[in-house]
Amino acid sequence: GQKVKGMEIIRSMKRDGKEYSGGTILDPESGNVYRCRMWIEGKDLKVRGYLGPFFRTQTWLKAD
């Protein structure tokens, strides 16, 4: 029931070389929390959420 703007959705990430891992990401629509990994590819931020052996990767673009 919270507004998404300003909500903390990524927590406890630690830098591991050129990527960040070891934290969690919240899906604000469902309320589910997933293990998370993030890295930069070119100008894009890749964000991957894991549920057991399954994962989904999103590309986040920098806002103008």
Side-chain angles (χ1 to χ4, degrees):
Q2 291 181 313
K3 293 183 180 180
V4 176
K5 186 174 181 179
M7 182 185 294
E8 182 180 4
I9 62 169
I10 298 173
R11 292 187 177 181
S12 304
M13 300 296 288
K14 293 180 179 75
R15 188 172 183 173
D16 182 20
K18 293 186 177 185
E19 67 180 48
Y20 289 83
S21 61
T24 60
I25 188 164
L26 167 72
D27 179 349
E29 291 182 10
S30 69
N32 294 331
V33 177
Y34 303 95
R35 289 181 299 121
C36 183
R37 188 178 128 206
M38 301 186 301
W39 67 96
I40 301 273
E41 275 188 20
K43 294 183 180 182
D44 301 334
L45 175 65
K46 298 291 185 169
V47 180
R48 180 172 289 172
Y50 293 88
L51 179 62
F54 304 103
F55 61 87
R56 185 175 95 187
T57 306
Q58 291 182 336
T59 301
W60 292 9
L61 306 176
K62 189 174 183 177
D64 291 330

